[in-house]
Amino acid sequence: MKMLLRRRFVIIVVIIIVCNIILVGSLWRGILPNPILIVTLDFGSVLALLAILTLAGWGGFSWTQSQNQHQMRDDFEQERRTFEDQLKADRRRFLQRLNHEFKNPLTTIRAAITNLRVLSHPSISQSTLDTIENETVRLSAFVTDLRKLADLEVCPLEKTKITIEDLLQEVVESAGEQPEARTRHLTLHPFPQAPGPLPQILGDYGLLFLAIYNLLSNALKFTQPGDKIEVRAYDDGARIRIEVADTGIGIPPTEISHVWEELYRGQEARTTPGSGLGLAMVKIIVERHDGHVELRSPMSQGTVVTILIPATT
Amino acid sequence: MEGTRKILLVDDEQPIIEQLIPILERAGFDVISAPNGEEALRQIEIASPDLIVLDVIMPRLDGRGVLRRLRQANNWIPAILLTQVNESVDRIMALEEGADDYLNKPYDPLELIARIRAVLRRIRPGQPPLTAVQRLVSGELSLDRVARKAFLNSTELSLTRQAFALLEYLMTHSHELLSRERLLNSVWVWNYETGTRAVDARICEIRQALTDDSTQPRYIETVIGEGYRFISDVSGT
């Protein structure tokens, strides 16, 4: 695209110069009558005319160029959105097919295990059957979660006005019931009161609850007894900023850019139970609310995950 | 009596049929099967099963098509459809297709048996199942399932979406003991890690709206360590 613009620029400049030379030459030599002044132009006037024509040509070119650039930017943005939508639709289809191709064999395996249990042949170890069943159940849940993740991108949202204080209060209370919460200092930071309480947001309460709950679950998973977990919220005028911060093990810099990807599991996360879908789900939920997510993790100093969502006006 | 009930399994996956038949037979049912929707309709005609378990995606005629044809012919044979119903769009569709219950694949075969028994228990001969009616009524309580509104003594109740969906599920499965896990799986769009506390919180919301005392419940009974049960009779219109 840059090459094309440069070529067009050179051509237009050459055309302007050539037209100027022909026009001024014709006036100077008297080939063309001077239509306005009916006087012979002196050398200074010719130079001034040349400058005016060049500037006018250049102005016209710049204006056209700027219009073209705006148009091209809009076109590019449109193409990018279409491409992203296409990618999402493809991925959704893929996950739905994956779900369909997995769910029948998994149903068969679960039924077969039930049948094997009643055969109670000495050569069939019950603990082996337990292992197969547990892993099948785990895989079943995983396949279902993958499909739900794809559904989450298109499911209708039931948006209501949400008071952040109530939402965070409920999430913290729920997460506080996890066994790990007993050994961490989980606190909800006091909400700002000046110049007034936090503005409300327009969103799907259930989904936002799920997103923040998930961040808290992660914080509980990746901290040690005695660590601190803080939930806080601010507003910057246009947006509400919700932060879940912890003093846990943190995330290496090389992994930070990948944590929002589906199925990504960092080095530390591999030894901790989980599906690798939680943060991907958080990102989808927040983006469906026209918000965005951020994560910073100063080396070995814990993690701060931020959700930014537009406030209602 | 239950041992004589005949179940029609409809699935194009032969291995599933092969594995499920002995399980259902051990549970005391007579079992017949069909590999697609057209064959299912033929079997219903000639074998008159007491209940059908229908897969959704099948060649020739899918599960939804089978149900639609049956219901259009005013045939209210109990049916369990093997799919998930969650979103509002699905719920409206579910009302129209008139399945008695839904179960998502992959499922635990013992859960299927429990669902079959529960559906057979709550049959209303010749009438649409409660899952397929537009209005549920239980004493002073009524639910308009299309408008998604609940009324107590004609006064509209203020319920969140999930509380409404939970109350709807409890009423369509009245007198059935429902575990928190099952409620979470059936009612919540995404139950990932939210834990069963979400169910308790919504039950609490419903009870407050209905002014239902948990120690002397008129509508929702807590079965300690097990789950919840809607204990009042429910009719549908």
Side-chain angles (χ1 to χ4, degrees):
Chain A
M1 192 170 288
K2 275 188 177 170
M3 279 294 291
L4 181 73
L5 281 174
R6 202 173 297 146
R7 202 176 303 152
R8 282 169 64 181
F9 170 75
V10 171
I11 292 169
I12 287 174
V13 168
V14 168
I15 290 171
I16 290 171
I17 291 170
V18 170
C19 288
N20 278 335
I21 291 169
I22 293 169
L23 183 65
V24 172
S26 304
L27 291 169
W28 182 257
R29 290 286 174 191
I31 297 166
L32 287 174
N34 189 323
I36 302 165
L37 302 173
I38 320 289
V39 291
T40 308
L41 292 171
D42 60 14
F43 183 69
S45 305
V46 170
L47 279 183
L49 187 59
L50 183 71
I52 289 166
L53 287 171
T54 305
L55 281 174
W58 176 250
F61 167 73
S62 301
W63 184 79
T64 318
Q65 194 76 347
S66 130
Q67 291 300 309
N68 284 343
Q69 275 177 347
H70 276 120
Q71 184 60 45
M72 273 190 283
R73 208 173 298 139
D74 289 350
D75 290 349
F76 178 72
E77 185 59 24
Q78 183 64 37
E79 273 175 32
R80 191 185 62 79
R81 275 199 213 122
T82 312
F83 180 66
E84 275 183 3
D85 288 349
Q86 186 60 44
L87 269 184
K88 279 183 184 170
D90 286 349
R91 198 171 52 87
R92 220 163 30 243
R93 261 196 302 278
F94 171 72
L95 291 179
Q96 277 162 351
R97 281 183 201 140
L98 192 71
N99 172 262
H100 182 66
E101 292 307 319
F102 271 71
K103 68 183 186 180
N104 283 326
L106 285 168
T107 305
T108 309
I109 294 168
R110 292 186 76 171
I113 295 166
T114 308
N115 282 324
L116 276 175
R117 283 195 190 281
V118 294
L119 290 174
S120 64
H121 192 274
S123 63
I124 299 173
S125 149
Q126 288 302 312
S127 67
T128 305
L129 283 177
D130 288 345
T131 306
I132 297 170
E133 185 162 36
N134 290 341
E135 292 304 303
T136 311
V137 169
R138 199 158 73 97
L139 190 55
S140 302
F142 175 71
V143 168
T144 306
D145 281 352
L146 269 185
R147 183 183 55 77
K148 286 183 177 178
L149 197 68
D151 290 346
L152 206 54
E153 288 178 355
V154 288
C155 72
L157 301 184
E158 189 177 317
K159 287 191 173 179
T160 54
K161 282 192 175 177
I162 297 171
T163 305
I164 300 296
E165 289 89 334
D166 296 344
L167 173 68
L168 294 185
Q169 191 83 43
E170 193 181 347
V171 179
V172 170
E173 276 174 22
S174 293
E177 290 181 5
Q178 290 190 27
E180 294 89 351
R182 289 187 208 122
T183 54
R184 274 68 159 175
H185 302 288
L186 172 59
T187 52
L188 181 57
H189 203 264
F191 296 108
Q193 295 301 323
L198 290 171
Q200 290 183 308
I201 55 172
L202 193 62
D204 188 308
Y205 191 94
L207 290 183
L208 287 172
F209 178 97
L210 187 62
I212 302 162
Y213 184 91
N214 205 275
L215 295 181
L216 270 176
S217 286
N218 270 357
L220 288 166
K221 265 186 214 167
F222 298 108
T223 47
Q224 299 297 319
D227 273 329
K228 291 177 190 148
I229 301 170
E230 268 187 27
V231 181
R232 41 200 193 221
Y234 318 94
D235 79 293
D236 64 9
R239 296 174 305 180
I240 297 290
R241 185 182 188 90
I242 299 166
E243 289 183 347
V244 175
D246 68 58
T247 55
I249 54 174
I251 301 168
T254 49
E255 293 182 1
I256 286 182
S257 59
H258 300 289
V259 294
W260 303 105
E261 294 170 8
E262 287 158 11
L263 306 180
Y264 180 79
R265 305 205 74 206
Q267 285 291 338
E268 289 293 336
R270 279 176 205 150
T271 52
T272 311
S275 64
L277 296 175
L279 285 180
M281 181 199 67
V282 172
K283 186 167 184 276
I284 291 172
I285 292 173
V286 173
E287 287 179 352
R288 289 217 56 199
H289 286 80
D290 302 318
H292 80 270
V293 286
E294 290 171 0
L295 186 146
R296 61 194 154 89
S297 188
M299 203 54 187
S300 310
Q301 289 177 32
T303 305
V304 182
V305 188
T306 307
I307 289 177
L308 290 141
I309 294 190
T312 51
T313 48
Chain B
M1 280 300 289
E2 195 175 70
T4 61
R5 298 296 180 94
K6 192 185 288 176
I7 309 297
L8 170 60
L9 278 180
V10 191
D11 202 313
D12 59 326
E13 290 282 325
Q14 194 54 29
I16 293 180
I17 297 277
E18 280 170 14
Q19 293 300 326
L20 276 181
I21 286 177
I23 295 172
L24 292 179
E25 283 177 345
R26 280 197 300 274
F29 299 109
D30 284 343
V31 189
I32 52 175
S33 66
N36 58 60
E38 284 179 4
E39 177 62 15
L41 287 174
R42 207 178 63 83
Q43 291 274 2
I44 291 165
E45 189 85 15
I46 58 173
S48 302
D50 295 292
L51 182 144
I52 47 175
V53 178
L54 269 172
D55 192 20
V56 174
I57 301 169
M58 285 186 296
R60 295 198 199 161
L61 183 61
D62 68 13
R64 291 205 151 96
V66 172
L67 258 187
R68 223 172 3 252
R69 286 203 200 174
L70 289 170
R71 299 322 188 209
Q72 277 165 4
N74 213 24
N75 183 335
W76 295 103
I77 176 176
I80 295 176
L81 203 59
L82 298 176
T83 186
Q84 179 90 11
V85 177
N86 264 326
E87 297 308 323
S88 52
V89 181
D90 280 358
R91 287 205 177 99
I92 301 296
M93 197 198 284
L95 266 176
E96 286 167 1
E97 66 198 4
D100 291 65
D101 208 349
Y102 293 84
L103 187 61
N104 200 29
K105 276 183 175 179
Y107 52 81
D108 177 356
L110 301 180
E111 175 71 14
L112 176 65
I113 291 170
R115 298 283 183 106
I116 290 172
R117 288 187 172 140
V119 168
L120 288 172
R121 263 198 305 272
R122 59 173 194 257
I123 288 177
R124 308 188 312 154
Q127 290 183 57
L130 289 176
T131 46
V133 299
Q134 296 203 349
R135 194 174 177 83
L136 295 164
V137 181
S138 178
E140 299 157 345
L141 171 66
S142 68
L143 246 71
D144 184 334
R145 300 176 71 199
V146 178
R148 314 297 291 166
K149 287 179 177 175
F151 301 87
L152 188 68
N153 279 329
S154 307
T155 306
E156 187 177 342
L157 301 174
S158 170
L159 290 176
T160 58
R161 175 184 63 172
Q162 278 167 341
F164 183 93
L166 182 58
L167 180 58
E168 179 185 33
Y169 195 82
L170 286 163
M171 287 180 80
T172 51
H173 296 77
S174 64
H175 301 293
E176 201 177 321
L177 173 60
L178 301 166
S179 69
R180 288 176 175 82
E181 286 75 19
R182 178 167 163 192
L183 291 169
L184 201 58
N185 283 322
S186 305
V187 175
W188 268 253
V189 174
W190 186 288
N191 53 15
Y192 186 75
E193 285 195 354
T194 46
T196 50
R197 189 189 176 280
V199 178
D200 299 335
R202 296 286 80 85
I203 290 280
C204 184
E205 181 190 338
I206 296 168
R207 278 183 172 147
Q208 277 181 357
L210 300 178
T211 58
D212 200 23
D213 180 357
S214 61
T215 57
Q216 288 179 313
R218 284 175 299 148
Y219 295 109
I220 300 169
E221 175 189 54
T222 304
V223 182
I224 294 166
E226 300 278 343
Y228 297 100
R229 183 190 281 131
F230 195 89
I231 50 173
S232 179
D233 288 340
V234 179
S235 59
T237 56

mmCIF file of all heavy atoms in Angstrom, chain B residues 58-78:
data_model
loop_
_atom_site.group_PDB
_atom_site.id
_atom_site.type_symbol
_atom_site.label_atom_id
_atom_site.label_comp_id
_atom_site.label_asym_id
_atom_site.label_seq_id
_atom_site.Cartn_x
_atom_site.Cartn_y
_atom_site.Cartn_z
ATOM 1 N N MET B 58 -29.627 -36.597 13.673
ATOM 2 C CA MET B 58 -29.734 -37.939 13.088
ATOM 3 C C MET B 58 -30.022 -37.802 11.599
ATOM 4 O O MET B 58 -30.574 -36.784 11.169
ATOM 5 C CB MET B 58 -30.895 -38.714 13.735
ATOM 6 C CG MET B 58 -30.612 -39.216 15.112
ATOM 7 S SD MET B 58 -31.945 -40.238 15.724
ATOM 8 C CE MET B 58 -33.287 -39.093 15.794
ATOM 9 N N PRO B 59 -29.674 -38.823 10.817
ATOM 10 C CA PRO B 59 -29.993 -38.758 9.392
ATOM 11 C C PRO B 59 -31.510 -38.875 9.146
ATOM 12 O O PRO B 59 -32.252 -39.289 10.028
ATOM 13 C CB PRO B 59 -29.253 -39.961 8.811
ATOM 14 C CG PRO B 59 -29.050 -40.886 9.953
ATOM 15 C CD PRO B 59 -28.962 -40.048 11.179
ATOM 16 N N ARG B 60 -31.894 -38.530 7.954
ATOM 17 C CA ARG B 60 -33.304 -38.573 7.495
ATOM 18 C C ARG B 60 -34.182 -37.589 8.262
ATOM 19 O O ARG B 60 -34.482 -36.531 7.764
ATOM 20 C CB ARG B 60 -33.867 -39.995 7.573
ATOM 21 C CG ARG B 60 -33.131 -40.920 6.614
ATOM 22 C CD ARG B 60 -33.898 -42.165 6.353
ATOM 23 N NE ARG B 60 -32.990 -43.173 5.827
ATOM 24 C CZ ARG B 60 -33.196 -44.439 5.810
ATOM 25 N NH1 ARG B 60 -34.325 -44.909 6.309
ATOM 26 N NH2 ARG B 60 -32.333 -45.264 5.293
ATOM 27 N N LEU B 61 -34.570 -37.978 9.477
ATOM 28 C CA LEU B 61 -35.413 -37.067 10.262
ATOM 29 C C LEU B 61 -34.777 -36.935 11.638
ATOM 30 O O LEU B 61 -34.542 -37.932 12.305
ATOM 31 C CB LEU B 61 -36.821 -37.677 10.370
ATOM 32 C CG LEU B 61 -37.875 -36.851 11.101
ATOM 33 C CD1 LEU B 61 -38.123 -35.518 10.411
ATOM 34 C CD2 LEU B 61 -39.187 -37.640 11.194
ATOM 35 N N ASP B 62 -34.471 -35.695 12.044
ATOM 36 C CA ASP B 62 -33.780 -35.544 13.327
ATOM 37 C C ASP B 62 -34.770 -35.601 14.503
ATOM 38 O O ASP B 62 -35.991 -35.663 14.315
ATOM 39 C CB ASP B 62 -32.922 -34.270 13.355
ATOM 40 C CG ASP B 62 -33.753 -32.997 13.337
ATOM 41 O OD1 ASP B 62 -34.971 -33.078 13.553
ATOM 42 O OD2 ASP B 62 -33.174 -31.925 13.100
ATOM 43 N N GLY B 63 -34.207 -35.566 15.712
ATOM 44 C CA GLY B 63 -35.028 -35.738 16.912
ATOM 45 C C GLY B 63 -36.092 -34.668 17.055
ATOM 46 O O GLY B 63 -37.227 -34.950 17.457
ATOM 47 N N ARG B 64 -35.718 -33.426 16.736
ATOM 48 C CA ARG B 64 -36.690 -32.328 16.850
ATOM 49 C C ARG B 64 -37.823 -32.522 15.855
ATOM 50 O O ARG B 64 -38.988 -32.236 16.155
ATOM 51 C CB ARG B 64 -36.000 -30.984 16.618
ATOM 52 C CG ARG B 64 -35.047 -30.603 17.721
ATOM 53 C CD ARG B 64 -34.855 -29.095 17.805
ATOM 54 N NE ARG B 64 -34.552 -28.693 19.151
ATOM 55 C CZ ARG B 64 -33.320 -28.485 19.635
ATOM 56 N NH1 ARG B 64 -32.277 -28.627 18.847
ATOM 57 N NH2 ARG B 64 -33.141 -28.134 20.895
ATOM 58 N N GLY B 65 -37.471 -33.018 14.659
ATOM 59 C CA GLY B 65 -38.492 -33.269 13.635
ATOM 60 C C GLY B 65 -39.475 -34.334 14.094
ATOM 61 O O GLY B 65 -40.690 -34.214 13.885
ATOM 62 N N VAL B 66 -38.944 -35.379 14.726
ATOM 63 C CA VAL B 66 -39.809 -36.461 15.224
ATOM 64 C C VAL B 66 -40.800 -35.903 16.246
ATOM 65 O O VAL B 66 -42.008 -36.132 16.158
ATOM 66 C CB VAL B 66 -38.966 -37.585 15.881
ATOM 67 C CG1 VAL B 66 -39.856 -38.610 16.564
ATOM 68 C CG2 VAL B 66 -38.073 -38.257 14.856
ATOM 69 N N LEU B 67 -40.246 -35.131 17.197
ATOM 70 C CA LEU B 67 -41.112 -34.579 18.246
ATOM 71 C C LEU B 67 -42.181 -33.664 17.664
ATOM 72 O O LEU B 67 -43.345 -33.713 18.056
ATOM 73 C CB LEU B 67 -40.274 -33.770 19.237
ATOM 74 C CG LEU B 67 -39.940 -34.428 20.559
ATOM 75 C CD1 LEU B 67 -39.258 -33.438 21.478
ATOM 76 C CD2 LEU B 67 -41.184 -34.980 21.233
ATOM 77 N N ARG B 68 -41.754 -32.816 16.710
ATOM 78 C CA ARG B 68 -42.695 -31.874 16.098
ATOM 79 C C ARG B 68 -43.858 -32.630 15.459
ATOM 80 O O ARG B 68 -45.017 -32.295 15.648
ATOM 81 C CB ARG B 68 -41.957 -31.029 15.050
ATOM 82 C CG ARG B 68 -42.324 -29.572 15.120
ATOM 83 C CD ARG B 68 -41.507 -28.668 14.247
ATOM 84 N NE ARG B 68 -40.523 -29.249 13.388
ATOM 85 C CZ ARG B 68 -39.212 -29.149 13.591
ATOM 86 N NH1 ARG B 68 -38.747 -28.520 14.633
ATOM 87 N NH2 ARG B 68 -38.365 -29.691 12.731
ATOM 88 N N ARG B 69 -43.515 -33.686 14.723
ATOM 89 C CA ARG B 69 -44.580 -34.460 14.054
ATOM 90 C C ARG B 69 -45.522 -35.103 15.063
ATOM 91 O O ARG B 69 -46.736 -35.111 14.890
ATOM 92 C CB ARG B 69 -43.961 -35.546 13.161
ATOM 93 C CG ARG B 69 -43.369 -34.965 11.904
ATOM 94 C CD ARG B 69 -43.303 -36.023 10.850
ATOM 95 N NE ARG B 69 -42.347 -35.640 9.832
ATOM 96 C CZ ARG B 69 -41.985 -36.414 8.835
ATOM 97 N NH1 ARG B 69 -42.463 -37.638 8.734
ATOM 98 N NH2 ARG B 69 -41.125 -35.997 7.933
ATOM 99 N N LEU B 70 -44.926 -35.653 16.122
ATOM 100 C CA LEU B 70 -45.765 -36.308 17.142
ATOM 101 C C LEU B 70 -46.704 -35.308 17.801
ATOM 102 O O LEU B 70 -47.901 -35.555 17.941
ATOM 103 C CB LEU B 70 -44.879 -36.957 18.207
ATOM 104 C CG LEU B 70 -44.106 -38.203 17.791
ATOM 105 C CD1 LEU B 70 -43.094 -38.578 18.868
ATOM 106 C CD2 LEU B 70 -45.053 -39.376 17.539
ATOM 107 N N ARG B 71 -46.128 -34.153 18.194
ATOM 108 C CA ARG B 71 -46.945 -33.176 18.921
ATOM 109 C C ARG B 71 -48.012 -32.561 18.021
ATOM 110 O O ARG B 71 -49.117 -32.270 18.488
ATOM 111 C CB ARG B 71 -46.064 -32.064 19.519
ATOM 112 C CG ARG B 71 -45.002 -32.517 20.536
ATOM 113 C CD ARG B 71 -45.447 -33.622 21.468
ATOM 114 N NE ARG B 71 -44.493 -33.901 22.545
ATOM 115 C CZ ARG B 71 -44.328 -35.061 23.121
ATOM 116 N NH1 ARG B 71 -45.035 -36.129 22.717
ATOM 117 N NH2 ARG B 71 -43.463 -35.228 24.110
ATOM 118 N N GLN B 72 -47.659 -32.374 16.731
ATOM 119 C CA GLN B 72 -48.655 -31.842 15.802
ATOM 120 C C GLN B 72 -49.830 -32.811 15.654
ATOM 121 O O GLN B 72 -50.966 -32.402 15.432
ATOM 122 C CB GLN B 72 -48.023 -31.576 14.429
ATOM 123 C CG GLN B 72 -47.306 -30.227 14.373
ATOM 124 C CD GLN B 72 -46.387 -30.087 13.180
ATOM 125 O OE1 GLN B 72 -46.325 -30.974 12.319
ATOM 126 N NE2 GLN B 72 -45.664 -28.979 13.117
ATOM 127 N N ALA B 73 -49.507 -34.111 15.798
ATOM 128 C CA ALA B 73 -50.569 -35.122 15.707
ATOM 129 C C ALA B 73 -51.226 -35.339 17.078
ATOM 130 O O ALA B 73 -51.944 -36.325 17.275
ATOM 131 C CB ALA B 73 -49.988 -36.430 15.192
ATOM 132 N N ASN B 74 -50.933 -34.429 18.015
ATOM 133 C CA ASN B 74 -51.483 -34.507 19.366
ATOM 134 C C ASN B 74 -51.098 -35.800 20.087
ATOM 135 O O ASN B 74 -51.849 -36.330 20.896
ATOM 136 C CB ASN B 74 -53.010 -34.355 19.330
ATOM 137 C CG ASN B 74 -53.508 -33.659 20.579
ATOM 138 O OD1 ASN B 74 -52.759 -32.920 21.220
ATOM 139 N ND2 ASN B 74 -54.766 -33.916 20.932
ATOM 140 N N ASN B 75 -49.906 -36.291 19.748
ATOM 141 C CA ASN B 75 -49.387 -37.483 20.424
ATOM 142 C C ASN B 75 -48.431 -37.009 21.514
ATOM 143 O O ASN B 75 -47.392 -36.418 21.234
ATOM 144 C CB ASN B 75 -48.643 -38.362 19.399
ATOM 145 C CG ASN B 75 -48.143 -39.661 20.020
ATOM 146 O OD1 ASN B 75 -47.929 -39.742 21.222
ATOM 147 N ND2 ASN B 75 -47.952 -40.672 19.192
ATOM 148 N N TRP B 76 -48.808 -37.232 22.769
ATOM 149 C CA TRP B 76 -48.017 -36.727 23.898
ATOM 150 C C TRP B 76 -47.222 -37.827 24.568
ATOM 151 O O TRP B 76 -47.011 -37.812 25.777
ATOM 152 C CB TRP B 76 -48.923 -36.004 24.898
ATOM 153 C CG TRP B 76 -49.524 -34.786 24.287
ATOM 154 C CD1 TRP B 76 -50.790 -34.637 23.836
ATOM 155 C CD2 TRP B 76 -48.838 -33.560 23.986
ATOM 156 N NE1 TRP B 76 -50.959 -33.393 23.275
ATOM 157 C CE2 TRP B 76 -49.781 -32.707 23.367
ATOM 158 C CE3 TRP B 76 -47.538 -33.098 24.164
ATOM 159 C CZ2 TRP B 76 -49.450 -31.427 22.929
ATOM 160 C CZ3 TRP B 76 -47.223 -31.822 23.742
ATOM 161 C CH2 TRP B 76 -48.174 -31.008 23.140
ATOM 162 N N ILE B 77 -46.741 -38.768 23.778
ATOM 163 C CA ILE B 77 -45.869 -39.811 24.326
ATOM 164 C C ILE B 77 -44.670 -39.135 25.003
ATOM 165 O O ILE B 77 -44.059 -38.220 24.436
ATOM 166 C CB ILE B 77 -45.415 -40.779 23.199
ATOM 167 C CG1 ILE B 77 -44.428 -41.799 23.752
ATOM 168 C CG2 ILE B 77 -44.781 -40.040 22.035
ATOM 169 C CD1 ILE B 77 -44.008 -42.858 22.731
ATOM 170 N N PRO B 78 -44.346 -39.527 26.239
ATOM 171 C CA PRO B 78 -43.224 -38.862 26.930
ATOM 172 C C PRO B 78 -41.913 -39.003 26.144
ATOM 173 O O PRO B 78 -41.635 -40.083 25.584
ATOM 174 C CB PRO B 78 -43.131 -39.615 28.256
ATOM 175 C CG PRO B 78 -44.469 -40.228 28.450
ATOM 176 C CD PRO B 78 -44.981 -40.538 27.078
#
